[in-house]
Amino acid sequence: MPTSSGAVSALSELSSQLAAAVESAGRSIVAIHARRRIPSSGIIWRDGVIVSASHTVRSEGEISVTLADGASAKATIAGRDSATDLIVLRVKGNSAVKAAPRADASALRVGSLVLAVGRPGRDVSASFGIISAVGEGWRTWQGARIDRVLRLDLAVYDGFSGGPLVDASGGVLAINNSALARGTPLALPAVAVDRVVDELLERGHVRRPFIGIAVQPVALSAALTKQHQISGDRGLLIVSIGDNSPAEQGGVLIGDVLLEAVARRLSRPDDLLDALSETAQAAAVNLNVLRGGAMKTLSITPGDRGERE
């Protein structure tokens, strides 16, 4: 069946729009020379600030970046966060290079058309596809909680991690990453990236409170829940404690059953991570535990895992 002139015109218009989107986003995308073989992609996130994927930047010293116009610039690391696989670089000079325009990622749905754009060399490259899933309340394998994560049905080529996901106008929606989910292309929305960037610029790391224990869910007997008026029928059994950790220093013992932290009821390991993340820096937290059938309250001052990276 012959193709109508209207359909051809629509396809031609879409093609031109996508090409213009890549060109627009490409003005703020840089090539980062901090590993062997292929440079990694980064994006001018704010004036003088580049964001990329941490796993692609192997160097710790001064780093060379290639800007969209082919000029070279020097950058230094302001901080990195392995839990979200983000790194922030401060670029010297070249103040004329402006941050990329943003787009609203909150309206994205499964099936939304998007472009992954990178600069794995001198020239910009792009990949076209759709949002295949929108995840809510996802936690990375290193413990960072992401309110919203985008799974991509498109190719994230070598050198694309750290580059932007953009819409049809070239506005930046998110940062692409091929390592966070171990092979599944994902993108972190700009609002989540902003929170990490703020902390890295302020203190060089993202604060991640920890107490140094490993736990597993355990069922509580009806007799115990009745005796101690415990809401729910599960707790967290402490199966290991780190040497010289905050938990060890605070008197936590293997075999304790953790019921509450910061007055928050716990039944899953994620509950403990969420409770600790809400604590103020250097503030002690109260843990309610069952020990030998008796209730006990321990005061623990969490450490900062991000500071140790």
Side-chain angles (χ1 to χ4, degrees), residues 202-277:
E202 179 183 347
R203 63 172 65 92
H205 71 276
V206 175
R207 181 176 172 267
R208 301 200 187 280
F210 82 105
I211 59 174
I213 59 175
V215 298
Q216 65 180 42
V218 63
L220 303 174
S221 70
L224 276 175
T225 58
K226 182 178 180 180
Q227 177 186 353
H228 297 291
Q229 298 182 330
I230 301 168
S231 62
D233 61 355
R234 300 181 76 79
L236 298 177
L237 176 66
I238 296 173
V239 296
S240 70
I241 301 172
D243 291 339
N244 204 34
S245 65
E248 184 182 66
Q249 294 172 7
V252 176
L253 300 178
I254 291 176
D256 285 348
V257 177
L258 184 55
L259 300 175
E260 290 185 353
V262 204
R264 181 171 182 157
R265 187 72 179 84
L266 308 176
S267 60
R268 304 172 302 124
D270 274 7
D271 293 338
L272 176 58
L273 293 173
D274 289 342
L276 292 176
S277 68

Side-chain angles (χ1 to χ4, degrees), residues 34-58:
R35 62 178 179 178
R36 293 182 178 178
R37 287 196 324 113
I38 301 172
S40 54
S41 297
I43 183 166
I44 307 291
W45 197 252
R46 302 172 186 172
D47 289 351
V49 173
I50 294 171
V51 171
S52 186
S54 180
H55 78 273
T56 69
V57 180
R58 310 287 172 78

Side-chain angles (χ1 to χ4, degrees), residues 74-283:
K74 297 298 182 183
T76 55
I77 297 174
R80 65 167 84 221
D81 178 41
S82 60
T84 54
D85 195 34
L86 291 172
I87 189 168
V88 171
L89 309 177
R90 292 187 186 274
V91 64
K92 300 178 179 179
N94 292 283
S95 58
V97 181
K98 298 301 181 183
R102 302 287 183 85
D104 182 12
S106 64
L108 289 175
R109 299 177 297 167
V110 174
S112 293
L113 297 176
V114 288
L115 290 153
V117 189
R119 193 177 293 279
R122 173 65 182 84
D123 298 318
V124 72
S125 299
S127 177
F128 178 61
I130 64 169
I131 300 293
S132 64
V134 178
E136 306 291 344
W138 182 67
R139 191 178 293 281
T140 72
W141 65 279
Q142 287 190 310
R145 188 170 184 82
I146 308 295
D147 295 335
R148 196 164 189 255
V149 66
L150 309 170
R151 194 171 72 200
L152 310 177
D153 186 8
L154 50 73
V156 178
Y157 298 114
D158 287 347
F160 267 41
S161 272
L165 185 75
V166 304
D167 66 5
S169 69
V172 174
L173 299 161
I175 295 293
N176 301 314
N177 193 290
S178 61
L180 271 177
R182 308 201 173 178
T184 300
L186 297 178
L188 298 183
V191 64
V193 175
D194 271 328
R195 287 196 291 267
V196 174
V197 171
D198 287 343
E199 289 205 54
L200 292 180
L201 290 175
E202 179 183 347
R203 63 172 65 92
H205 71 276
V206 175
R207 181 176 172 267
R208 301 200 187 280
F210 82 105
I211 59 174
I213 59 175
V215 298
Q216 65 180 42
V218 63
L220 303 174
S221 70
L224 276 175
T225 58
K226 182 178 180 180
Q227 177 186 353
H228 297 291
Q229 298 182 330
I230 301 168
S231 62
D233 61 355
R234 300 181 76 79
L236 298 177
L237 176 66
I238 296 173
V239 296
S240 70
I241 301 172
D243 291 339
N244 204 34
S245 65
E248 184 182 66
Q249 294 172 7
V252 176
L253 300 178
I254 291 176
D256 285 348
V257 177
L258 184 55
L259 300 175
E260 290 185 353
V262 204
R264 181 171 182 157
R265 187 72 179 84
L266 308 176
S267 60
R268 304 172 302 124
D270 274 7
D271 293 338
L272 176 58
L273 293 173
D274 289 342
L276 292 176
S277 68
E278 295 170 0
T279 62
Q281 189 168 3

